[in-house]
Amino acid sequence: MPINKVMAEHQRISILITLKESQDYGANTSMLMDVLKAYALGCTRDQLKTELNWLEQNGYISLERMGENTWVARITPTGMDVAEGVSIVPGIKRPGPRSPI
């Protein structure tokens, strides 16, 4: 599997898990860039926008475009199912099992 495809799958699930775990189920592009970088999944702002558009077009997030470089992403119920591993979707890495809290 090409590395760019693997990277996109990991970035998408990381975005969904980040949104799922945020207090209001949302995050802006700057925050998402920092999270991806922390997990060695860094990308350019344009690459992040491409992944966010893909997730929005497939119904996993909603986007509020506040400016050219600032978007706010919020997870949808369908995206929550993917982030929790309930739904398996081609193009998004399935999350590993998590320890109960």
Side-chain angles (χ1 to χ4, degrees):
M1 181 180 291
I3 188 69
N4 59 341
K5 184 175 180 180
V6 172
M7 189 78 131
E9 290 178 356
H10 280 263
Q11 288 169 333
R12 291 169 184 161
I13 194 61
S14 295
I15 290 167
L16 291 177
I17 290 171
T18 298
L19 297 175
K20 173 184 156 281
E21 293 178 352
S22 73
Q23 187 173 5
D24 64 352
Y25 301 106
N28 65 40
T29 47
S30 180
M31 294 166 59
L32 292 171
M33 295 267 308
D34 289 347
V35 169
L36 293 177
K37 185 177 179 182
Y39 289 106
L41 296 169
C43 59
T44 66
R45 193 167 295 278
D46 284 341
Q47 289 169 324
L48 176 60
K49 288 179 180 180
T50 297
E51 297 309 331
L52 292 174
N53 278 317
W54 188 94
L55 289 166
E56 181 185 45
Q57 289 170 359
N58 286 285
Y60 306 118
I61 66 169
S62 62
L63 285 174
E64 181 182 352
R65 291 160 178 87
M66 303 183 81
E68 183 178 336
N69 289 318
T70 304
W71 296 359
V72 174
R74 296 199 188 282
I75 196 165
T76 64
T78 304
M80 189 73 78
D81 287 344
V82 176
E84 293 175 345
V86 175
S87 296
I88 301 169
V89 176
I92 302 176
K93 182 180 180 353
R94 185 174 185 202
R98 298 218 172 211
S99 300
I101 296 175

